Amino acid sequence: MTVAAAPGLLPAWREWLAENLAMGVAAGQARAAAVAAGADPDAVDAELAALEAHPYFAVCRRLALRYDWMESVLDTYRVLRDDDGGRELERRSDLTAAEFFGRYYYANRPVVLDGLMADWPARNWTLDVMARRCPDAVVEVMTGREANPDHAWQYDRHRTTMPFRDYLTLLGSGTRTNDYYMVPRNENWTGPLRALAEDVRPPSHLVDPAGGGHLLLGPAGTVTPLHVDNSTVLLCQVLGRKHVRLVPSYQRHLVHPRGGTFSAVDAARPDLDRHPRYAEATVLETILEPGQMLLIPVGWWHWVNALDLSATVTFHHFRVPGQNHRMATPPAALGAGRADR
């Protein structure tokens, strides 16, 4: 069956009307909102009539009911976890492997860990020390980020190769910026900067040292937008401080996802008029200090802002029976991948 498109209505408005009606918004309410925002009334009426007559839209409504049911289950998890201390980000030291995996890794619960980096030679890094350790290194850095709000998921546009010394000079300028950041989308750590990797002491009772790690290095002002990773991450803060905000994995429907692994919400300044469901989200936050680690469980959404010149090492391979746990690969249409932190 073919239904003619409503003339004079932009595709964005057609999508907006279809989505809202499929999710249960009354046709009159959707019409009023669209007209108030400037859409042509006759075109809106024609589109609403076309939607009601289209068999594909009937399928959309049935799928929306399934999503509504799943979201109600996730909201139940949210209430249960909130009542079980889920509104607090725990901080622990002297944690045994059994408790780490039992209470945090398997329970999909984040935790700040103290005292596991005291023996790291990396704690003595300075820009001069790093330059002397890797005098001839050439590294990849993500540059030009400020001009592109979608830099985190369009990273191939921002790859730049430069001498490590030149990059350290940029960092030494003290400029607060989001414009250049060394992220783990390259071979820096296992190649030109492997001398620095020798200064790291992975907590071998928690992570598998053979799995390697990644180095993130950048100036104050570096921001990673709210996103989700498809595996668990242990974030180890070597230099500087990072402000981290976390939203639970079971609250995906509250963060207004876009591009599969990213959120449309600016977690620094949420616009609740545009993204009203984010007001319901449980947001945990911490200032990660040098020498602290943060377990970010698989599926947890996180936003990260470097308050100082910052060096961070991440691990992704844990000492769990069998293979590490990952989220199912999302459909290609939704996008995939891992953002920098």
Side-chain angles (χ1 to χ4, degrees), residues 32 35 54 128 139 142 172 194 217 227 240 268-269 296 306 314 326 328:
V35 172
H54 205 296
D128 288 341
V139 297
M142 296 295 175
R194 57 186 175 275
L217 182 63
H227 70 283
R269 294 170 295 275
I296 304 177
T314 62
R326 301 172 65 86

Side-chain angles (χ1 to χ4, degrees), residues 210-235:
H214 298 284
L215 173 67
L216 301 99
L217 182 63
T222 299
V223 176
T224 303
L226 190 63
H227 70 283
V228 66
D229 290 338
N230 62 2
S231 64
T232 298
V233 178
L234 187 62
L235 201 67

Side-chain angles (χ1 to χ4, degrees), residues 31-340:
R31 181 189 187 280
V35 172
D40 178 74
D42 292 337
V44 171
D45 289 339
E47 182 65 20
L48 291 173
L51 282 172
E52 291 292 347
H54 205 296
Y56 288 178
F57 182 68
V59 174
C60 286
R61 277 187 162 159
R62 289 198 294 271
L63 291 175
L65 287 173
R66 294 184 194 176
Y67 278 113
D68 188 57
W69 182 88
M70 287 188 288
E71 288 180 4
S72 71
V73 173
L74 294 176
D75 284 335
T76 301
Y77 290 166
R78 171 163 57 107
V79 172
L80 292 172
R81 179 55 65 85
D82 283 354
D83 289 346
D84 185 36
R87 290 189 174 275
E88 299 292 332
L89 178 58
E90 297 184 22
R91 179 172 168 177
R92 300 291 303 275
S93 59
D94 300 322
L95 194 63
T96 66
E99 190 172 7
F100 172 83
F101 287 106
R103 177 162 179 79
Y104 301 105
Y105 180 93
Y106 283 116
N108 201 241
R109 186 191 300 267
V111 62
V112 175
L113 302 175
D114 288 314
L116 294 179
M117 296 173 62
D119 64 340
W120 285 31
R123 295 295 308 281
N124 297 315
W125 283 350
T126 65
L127 296 181
D128 288 341
V129 167
M130 288 189 280
R132 290 197 300 270
R133 294 290 300 281
C134 305
D136 303 316
V138 176
V139 297
E140 184 181 274
V141 178
M142 296 295 175
T143 62
R145 291 157 50 101
E146 293 275 16
N148 180 9
D150 294 324
H151 61 80
W153 62 336
Q154 296 175 355
Y155 46 85
D156 281 337
R157 302 182 184 182
H158 300 274
R159 297 182 185 272
T160 303
T161 300
M162 66 175 66
F164 188 45
R165 282 185 174 274
D166 291 353
Y167 182 58
L168 295 176
T169 299
L170 282 175
L171 297 182
S173 69
T175 302
R176 183 178 184 84
T177 180
N178 193 29
D179 219 31
Y180 40 82
Y181 193 26
M182 182 185 294
V183 304
R185 295 187 180 278
N186 49 59
E187 303 301 322
N188 290 342
W189 193 233
T190 57
L193 301 183
R194 57 186 175 275
L196 295 180
E198 297 171 0
D199 292 342
V200 168
R201 303 287 184 265
S204 58
H205 63 305
L206 305 181
V207 303
D208 181 1
H214 298 284
L215 173 67
L216 301 99
L217 182 63
T222 299
V223 176
T224 303
L226 190 63
H227 70 283
V228 66
D229 290 338
N230 62 2
S231 64
T232 298
V233 178
L234 187 62
L235 201 67
C236 307
Q237 195 60 21
V238 181
L239 300 177
R241 301 166 300 151
K242 281 187 168 176
H243 184 188
V244 184
R245 288 181 172 151
L246 301 157
V247 177
S249 54
Y250 45 86
Q251 294 185 14
R252 181 185 186 276
H253 56 300
L254 303 182
V255 301
H256 299 264
R258 65 187 289 263
T261 55
F262 291 88
S263 166
V265 178
D266 178 357
R269 294 170 295 275
D271 183 341
L272 299 182
D273 289 330
R274 293 183 61 194
H275 308 121
R277 301 207 70 183
Y278 189 71
E280 305 173 43
T282 301
V283 181
L284 307 183
E285 61 185 314
T286 188
I287 303 298
L288 200 63
E289 302 280 350
Q292 291 185 325
M293 298 180 178
L294 172 63
L295 179 74
I296 304 177
V298 58
W300 274 64
W301 298 78
H302 45 291
W303 166 93
V304 185
N305 177 25
L307 303 178
D308 312 301
L309 187 154
S310 174
T312 309
V313 174
T314 62
F315 298 104
H316 302 259
H317 299 273
F318 292 82
R319 286 196 177 278
V320 294
Q323 64 182 9
N324 286 254
H325 299 83
R326 301 172 65 86
M327 292 197 301
T329 303
L334 293 180
R338 181 181 66 219
D340 42 89

